[in-house]
Amino acid sequence: MAAPLPDAPGAGRGRRPRRTSGDDRERAILATAEELLGQRPLSDISVDDLARGAGISRPTFYFYFPSKDAVVLTLLDRVVEEARASRAAALRRAGDDVRASWRGALEAVRDTFAAHRALTSAAASLFASSAEVRALWSEVMEQFVAETASAIDAERARGAAPPGPPARDLAVALNWMNERVIHVTASGQQPALAEDDLLDVLLTVWLRTVYGGDGPR
Amino acid sequence: MAAPLPDAPGAGRGRRPRRTSGDDRERAILATAEELLGQRPLSDISVDDLARGAGISRPTFYFYFPSKDAVVLTLLDRVVEEARASRAAALRRAGDDVRASWRGALEAVRDTFAAHRALTSAAASLFASSAEVRALWSEVMEQFVAETASAIDAERARGAAPPGPPARDLAVALNWMNERVIHVTASGQQPALAEDDLLDVLLTVWLRTVYGGDGPR
DNA sequence: CGGCCGACTCGACACCGTGTCGAGTACCGT
DNA sequence: ACGGTACTCGACACGGTGTCGAGTCGGCCG
């Protein structure tokens, strides 16, 4: 409301300038949130629960975070970073094999979010109400889409993939498909795929969409 | 809380047995909800707003609906029914042309939800918190998936489509893709497709996935 | 007709969660 | 010893939800 206040250096996404002593409390709040989310949905967790869990009073909570949502956003930020890193590592590992690289990237993302189901559900429930969560998510998806689109363009350029709609458009559709199917499968929503089939099915759709068949050439 | 009270006959989803006089009030609440949703998100609409808009007091609202969410659910129910009907009509109209029938079905669903954006957003925001909304949505998706799967099986049986993963698995992935891309595009979330390209892009993915190319044979 | 019953209505209340304000305490550098 | 800054919390105001109980009103049955 008052000033733009530029991101403080050292803060991951610049939520607040680091303190030295209160750092422990901040961590305690985060840890409490993660633990409670494993037990019940975000809507059943109050600021008071978070504060008590961290051994502080409710007003003190507000010294560290502006709201319950901000806690989840911080947590989500970390997981997103983890997913990005793990995906990048998988891509690096796969080298030139396009099929393997897409499979690896997909697997990395799936595993990261599967390892944080509770948080993922919480983030999903904030999606509608929090512009910050939406923005963060857009940013991640945008990165994945951009990477996918340039991979498709590369395959087309070397004649391995046929022409068709703009690569970016296909990339948008394919990445949102992944997002939704992974989410649905992990959260038990129906209709879903069996966890074991997920990778194969999504990969088939990707390959057929990009190559017009089950692989390059 | 008291008795199971079986669905009253004549009620779409059997929210409550129909009254004769109160019927108007119920309609007024529904109409108010639809109008207010056009102006602001569901979270900024209180039961009091709904009641005042319908010309009744807040306690009286509770005579008609158990909660704000139930109002949205009722509205969603209608739109879903509309989408189903419109989709079925498109399918009937297209006859044997598979490509045309998928395009028509897709278009019908997209148009129905585009015509009720406000409600759709409200439903999306309830998705996380309301089991009923999730169940209704599962039911719709399940129907679409089942129809898609049997269409794929038919194409495979007549030799027009190559074998691959179980038809149902492909159908699950493709239908969730549609759901998400349509939703994202309609709600302005990024990354999205241009509204005009949506149909072509999704259809391309469908055809390539099912036929391993851009069309039957 | 008179009385009852079920449909419907609302004022008042209890409750809960949020966010803020202002009065502290404790420690640090000067 | 002093002033400031980091931190803490009791108490409050607020806004929303859902319920309770006392009422009105109209139809219809005896």
Side-chain angles (χ1 to χ4, degrees), chain B:
Chain B
M1 245 39 26
L5 105 97
D7 281 8
R13 283 203 120 230
R15 205 79 52 236
R16 83 171 27 257
R18 291 291 128 134
R19 220 80 25 57
T20 25
S21 144
D23 238 18
D24 294 343
R25 297 291 163 89
E26 192 167 328
R27 261 195 295 277
I29 293 172
L30 259 5
T32 302
E34 208 148 22
E35 192 198 325
L36 292 185
L37 280 175
Q39 300 166 13
R40 49 184 197 270
L42 181 61
S43 53
D44 287 6
I45 298 172
S46 70
V47 169
D48 203 48
D49 295 333
L50 258 22
R52 296 180 109 79
I56 56 179
S57 73
R58 209 165 52 77
T60 300
F61 168 93
Y62 288 101
F63 180 81
Y64 292 100
F65 292 94
S67 69
K68 199 169 68 171
D69 295 4
V71 176
V72 177
L73 184 60
T74 302
L75 251 16
L76 180 64
D77 215 7
R78 294 178 176 189
V79 172
V80 159
E81 223 40 68
E82 191 185 323
R84 276 183 162 137
S86 152
R87 180 184 144 106
L91 250 23
R92 230 176 295 116
R93 210 177 309 123
D96 289 336
D97 182 344
V98 192
R99 186 189 177 102
S101 83
W102 279 342
R103 189 185 187 94
L106 186 51
E107 197 171 11
V109 172
R110 182 203 59 178
D111 289 347
T112 304
F113 288 102
H116 301 275
R117 268 167 221 234
L119 175 65
T120 305
S121 309
S125 77
L126 252 53
F127 202 88
S129 62
S130 160
E132 279 114 321
V133 169
R134 278 197 302 279
L136 175 56
W137 205 242
S138 282
E139 195 188 311
V140 186
M141 291 303 294
E142 182 56 48
Q143 182 191 334
F144 292 175
V145 165
E147 287 173 13
T148 306
S150 69
I152 293 176
D153 278 330
E155 291 298 89
R156 283 180 175 176
R158 75 179 181 92
R168 183 185 156 88
D169 287 353
L170 293 181
V172 166
L174 293 173
N175 278 285
W176 280 118
M177 170 182 75
N178 284 9
E179 190 260 8
R180 191 80 317 211
V181 174
I182 289 177
H183 180 253
V184 148
T185 298
S187 69
Q189 169 81 359
Q190 285 299 326
L193 299 175
E195 301 220 17
D196 293 340
D197 301 336
L198 197 149
L199 243 49
D200 284 331
V201 173
L202 293 180
L203 200 59
T204 298
V205 178
W206 277 56
L207 295 174
R208 289 188 176 180
T209 296
V210 174
Y211 298 107
D214 284 309
R217 187 87 344 162

Side-chain angles (χ1 to χ4, degrees), chain A residues 16-29 54 56 60 63-64:
Chain A
R16 86 177 19 259
R18 289 293 129 134
R19 221 78 23 59
T20 25
S21 145
D23 238 18
D24 293 343
R25 298 291 164 88
E26 191 167 329
R27 261 195 295 278
I29 294 172
I56 55 178
T60 300
F63 181 81
Y64 292 99

